[in-house]
């Protein structure tokens, strides 16, 4: 017959191999069979982690909270508290996430996990257009954790925060530096650089930025956005012929893109401006 330790060991195996669904199922079986076992709190913690990996944030948050309640002095408690707050952030409940992340940073000021908690708080500040608070948080993370995995995200966030505060030159520098360095957010930075220039009315420079994004990042998921804004820059310069070509190409390549309706509308506008009323009507109907 299986002992409790046997059942627990069976669950640890798939967890160690990143087989998250199987791990969650096996930890659930352990908790059902042996709810009062000494390893039950850890089973809750590991099941919560497996749920996070599967995007089951509500269940993860509950398990982390139950783990803390059952073993409040365990060394994993700070991590569980952070992960519970992170789970709320990932569900999109911005206000509750802000409260829980701020509580975590207040109660655990020396935890390395603060780098992630404060990055999340900075992103939440950006979402409500609080550029000053976002910039302060991003800078704090970069100063205290200059070698973390979040560095590029914080530098990109600083660019966005600078834009919100009207400091376009600082935003441009941040985006150009990130794009030139390569890395995980280089394509985002290049496209955002173009949008930043477009918003400032520097349309030729914006076009150059978007063309660079198309050439340098051929596999990026942001190419639909880059083509749309390239077309919009051409529209702003009244370069109707190139705008029609750019926006038509964007529609053909990304027919299901969230910006597809706008692509169709502005292509129709460009057709109308150059005197092609039949294509304009077709575009408006589309």
């Amino acid at each position: 017959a299986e002992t409790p330790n046997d059942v627990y060991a069976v669950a640890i195996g798939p967890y160690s191999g990143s087989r998250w669904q199987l791990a969650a199922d096996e930890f659930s079986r352990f908790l059902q069979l042996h709810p009062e076992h000494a390893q039950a709190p850890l089973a809750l913690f590991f099941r919560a982690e497996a749920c996070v990996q599967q995007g089951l944030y509500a269940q993860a948050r509950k398990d982390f909270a139950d783990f803390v309640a059952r073993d409040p002095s365990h060394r994993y408690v700070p991590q569980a508290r952070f992960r519970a707050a992170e789970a709320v952030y990932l569900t999109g409940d911005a206000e509750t996430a802000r409260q829980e992340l701020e509580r975590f940073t207040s109660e655990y000021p020396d935890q390395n996990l603060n780098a992630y908690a404060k990055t999340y708080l900075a992103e939440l500040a950006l979402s409500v257009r609080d550029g000053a608070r976002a910039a302060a948080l991003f800078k704090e993370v970069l100063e205290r954790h200059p070698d973390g995995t979040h560095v590029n995200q914080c530098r990109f966030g600083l660019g966005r925060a600078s834009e919100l505060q009207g400091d376009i030159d600082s935003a441009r520098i941040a985006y150009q530096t990130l794009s030139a360095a390569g890395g995980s957010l280089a394509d985002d930075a290049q496209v955002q650089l173009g949008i930043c220039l477009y918003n400032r009315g520097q349309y030729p420079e914006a076009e150059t930025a978007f063309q660079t994004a198309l050439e340098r990042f051929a596999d990026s998921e942001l190419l639909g956005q880059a083509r749309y804004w390239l077309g919009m820059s051409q529209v702003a310069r009244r370069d109707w012929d190139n705008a029609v070509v750019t926006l038509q190409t964007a529609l053909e390549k990304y027919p299901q893109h969230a910006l597809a309706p706008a692509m169709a509308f502005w292509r129709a506008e460009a057709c109308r401006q150059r005197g092609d009323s039949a294509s304009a009507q077709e575009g408006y109907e589309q």
Side-chain angles (χ1 to χ4, degrees), residues 67-78:
F67 164 74
V68 172
R70 291 192 60 166
D71 197 349
S73 61
H74 197 283
R75 63 190 179 94
Y76 286 170
V77 164

Side-chain angles (χ1 to χ4, degrees), residues 248-271:
Q248 180 61 37
T249 301
L251 278 168
E252 291 171 355
K253 287 181 173 290
Y254 312 102
Q256 304 303 317
H257 197 282
L259 288 170
M263 294 171 186
F265 176 82
W266 286 105
R267 177 189 171 279
E269 284 284 285
C271 287

Side-chain angles (χ1 to χ4, degrees), residues 83-106:
R83 293 292 257 174
E86 180 185 46
V88 179
Y89 174 86
L90 293 172
T91 64
D93 183 351
E95 181 56 28
T96 304
R98 183 189 62 77
Q99 293 174 8
E100 294 198 10
L101 288 165
E102 287 181 346
R103 187 179 303 118
F104 174 82
T105 60
S106 175

